[in-house]
């Protein structure tokens, strides 16, 4: 739930924190970080201009915030993305099911990799990578395991979408992430 997400974020805010948010329809989590009295920085990766245009000035004009209007993917270039026609918080990277496709508009958009964007921010002691990407979190994590496994002091905050996973693939991926030394604090 959103309340739990906010509580988790508040409990993890500390000095010298980079909050790297992948998918942010409203900027609510970014506001929690920038409203803290800690030395922090926020990077929001959001491919939908409609969402970015809704962010308030506290986010848009804040020197502690960078907004990247690109899709975070496994490759840089252009990639298909499905924009929900009415509810921009339901956009997705994977093709919607045949009964849902009518609610989406497919467009090719600019993509970049997690590694390319993340490596621009090196002077932080702690990092939280937050993902709310409507089922694409499995693919993004899997394709970035080699990059993430050597990173230190990274927390992953992921909204899971279990109906999109097959054959316990997310469970197996979480086991692999644990084998790399990551620890799970909260699972909803």
């Amino acid at each position: 739930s959103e309340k739990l997400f906010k509580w988790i974020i508040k409990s993890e805010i500390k000095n010298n924190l980079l909050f790297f948010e992948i998918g942010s329809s409203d900027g609510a989590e970014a506001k929690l970080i920038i409203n803290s009295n800690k030395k922090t920085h926020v990077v929001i990766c959001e491919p939908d201009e409609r969402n970015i245009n809704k962010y308030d000035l506290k986010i848009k004009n804040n020197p502690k915030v960078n907004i990247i209007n690109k899709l975070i993917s496994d490759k840089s270039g252009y990639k298909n993305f499905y924009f929900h026609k009415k509810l921009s918080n339901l956009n997705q990277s994977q093709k919607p099911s045949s009964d849902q496709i009518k609610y989406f508009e497919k467009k090719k958009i600019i993509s970049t990799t997690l590694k390319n964007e993340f490596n621009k921010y090196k002077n932080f002691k702690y990092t939280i990578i937050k993902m709310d990407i409507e089922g694409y979190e499995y693919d993004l994590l899997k394709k970035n395991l080699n990059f993430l496994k050597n990173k230190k002091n990274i927390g992953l905050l992921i909204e899971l979408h279990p109906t999109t996973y097959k054959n316990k693939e997310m469970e197996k991926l979480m086991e692999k992430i644990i084998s790399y030394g990551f620890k799970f604090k909260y699972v909803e």
Side-chain angles (χ1 to χ4, degrees):
S1 76
E2 289 297 316
K3 284 183 181 180
L4 178 60
F5 237 47
K6 288 178 180 177
W7 178 82
I8 292 169
I9 291 167
K10 284 181 179 180
S11 70
E12 295 295 324
I13 298 172
K14 53 186 99 178
N15 281 320
N16 211 5
L17 171 72
L18 173 66
F19 187 75
F20 198 93
E21 186 168 16
I22 303 172
S24 180
S25 62
D26 60 8
E29 289 85 3
K31 277 196 259 185
L32 291 174
I33 303 294
I34 62 177
N35 286 337
S36 74
N37 292 325
K38 306 284 185 184
K39 181 185 175 239
T40 60
H41 192 81
V42 175
V43 177
I44 301 173
C45 305
E46 172 54 54
D48 194 336
E49 288 276 347
R50 296 175 297 174
N51 290 334
I52 293 169
N53 291 335
K54 289 188 279 186
Y55 298 166
D56 67 29
L57 295 178
K58 233 181 187 178
I59 294 173
K60 288 181 180 179
N61 296 336
N62 194 308
K64 292 172 34 172
V65 177
N66 289 75
I67 300 171
I68 300 167
N69 182 215
K70 295 178 185 176
L71 173 67
I72 299 296
S73 183
D74 58 324
K75 296 177 186 154
S76 293
Y78 287 87
K79 191 164 179 140
N80 287 331
F81 191 73
Y82 297 87
F83 292 88
H84 195 283
K85 293 176 182 175
K86 291 184 180 176
L87 303 171
S88 61
N89 63 317
L90 297 179
N91 296 330
Q92 56 190 62
S93 296
Q94 66 276 18
K95 185 177 180 178
S97 62
S98 57
D99 64 321
Q100 294 292 310
I101 192 82
K102 63 187 171 200
Y103 302 112
F104 292 84
E105 182 180 353
K106 177 177 143 181
K107 293 182 184 176
K108 280 211 179 283
I109 62 170
I110 297 173
S111 66
T112 186
T113 66
L114 178 60
K115 183 178 180 179
N116 285 350
E117 296 305 323
F118 187 86
N119 283 339
K120 293 176 184 177
Y121 304 92
K122 296 182 188 242
N123 297 322
F124 294 91
K125 188 172 180 181
Y126 308 102
T127 301
I128 295 174
I129 299 175
K130 182 246 175 193
M131 295 181 203
D132 183 0
I133 47 180
E134 305 308 311
Y136 186 60
E137 60 277 356
Y138 170 78
D139 290 327
L140 191 61
L141 280 170
K142 185 176 180 186
K143 292 172 181 171
N144 284 281
L145 272 182
N146 285 334
F147 168 68
L148 290 172
K149 75 179 181 182
N150 297 317
K151 298 295 176 192
K152 303 288 183 230
N153 296 319
I154 289 183
L156 300 173
L157 180 57
I158 305 164
E159 183 171 318
L160 299 175
H161 298 84
T163 59
T164 63
Y165 315 134
K166 299 173 186 142
N167 302 322
K168 297 188 176 191
E169 63 188 358
M170 182 55 99
E171 187 178 321
K172 292 173 187 171
L173 182 61
M174 289 176 146
E175 288 171 2
K176 187 169 251 189
I177 291 169
I178 290 169
S179 77
Y180 292 151
F182 285 81
K183 295 176 177 77
F184 286 92
K185 284 187 175 182
Y186 316 100
V187 176
E188 180 183 13

